[in-house]
Amino acid sequence: MIRVLFVCLGNICRSPMAEAVFRKLVEQEKLQDNIQVDSCGIGSWHEGNPPHEGTRKLLDAHDIRYDDMQARQIQPTDLQGFDYIIAMDEQNVKDLRTIGYPKEQVYIGRLLDFVNGTFEKDVPDPYFTGDFNQTYALVMEGCQQLLKHIMKQHHLY
Ligand code: 4NP
């Protein structure tokens, strides 16, 4: 099993969006028995909460399920339990490095590092920008490229 963890600051806007989008893409490729998806936040402010209303509206509009998703804070054990830890921005990556020791083969990086040609490699935070559509477009592009990368890397064709 390949385990993918999406990380943002609050785990209510960007990383739950990425989790839901990526899970749908994984299911479309019929890879749900090969790839497991989760998300969490650097902070604990929203523990137990569902995704932000803006994220829910957007996922509803695109017919993407997010049932039972609840925010949780990252734990040091997550760094041992996942193969790909995919952050939304550079500050998340920096924060991740202070939380604990990742297992040796883990990949830690930003979602948009998988997208060629975007100048900006941080996913804008709609909690502050209010623009959930812009974030969705980037998250979708990033998730498509990430899945391609993982499928190639693990010969999942
Ligand atoms: P997210 O957005 O990291 O994309 O979930 C945020 C949500 C909440 C807060 C910050 C960012 N907050 O400070 O409560």
Side-chain angles (χ1 to χ4, degrees), residues 81-104:
F82 287 88
D83 306 292
Y84 292 86
I85 300 182
I86 307 297
M88 294 300 124
D89 61 41
E90 189 55 30
Q91 188 59 49
N92 303 152
V93 174
K94 285 186 184 146
D95 291 340
L96 276 167
R97 303 246 178 238
T98 69
I99 283 161
Y101 293 99
K103 68 175 181 176
E104 256 174 40

Side-chain angles (χ1 to χ4, degrees), residues 8-20:
C8 65
L9 185 55
N11 194 210
I12 54 168
C13 296
R14 292 166 296 170
S15 63
M17 190 188 286
E19 177 186 344

Side-chain angles (χ1 to χ4, degrees), residues 7-16 40-42 45-46 52 55 88-89 92 123-128 132 135:
V7 180
C8 65
L9 185 55
N11 194 210
I12 54 168
C13 296
R14 292 166 296 170
S15 63
C40 65
I42 299 292
W45 313 287
H46 300 282
H52 189 287
T55 288
M88 294 300 124
D89 61 41
N92 303 152
V123 177
D125 192 341
Y127 191 76
F128 301 110
F132 285 81
T135 294

Side-chain angles (χ1 to χ4, degrees), residues 1 10 20 25 28 32 51 68 76 80 85 87 89 98 126:
M1 182 65 85
L25 296 175
Q28 282 172 348
Q32 58 271 26
D68 304 328
Q80 297 287 328
I85 300 182
D89 61 41
T98 69

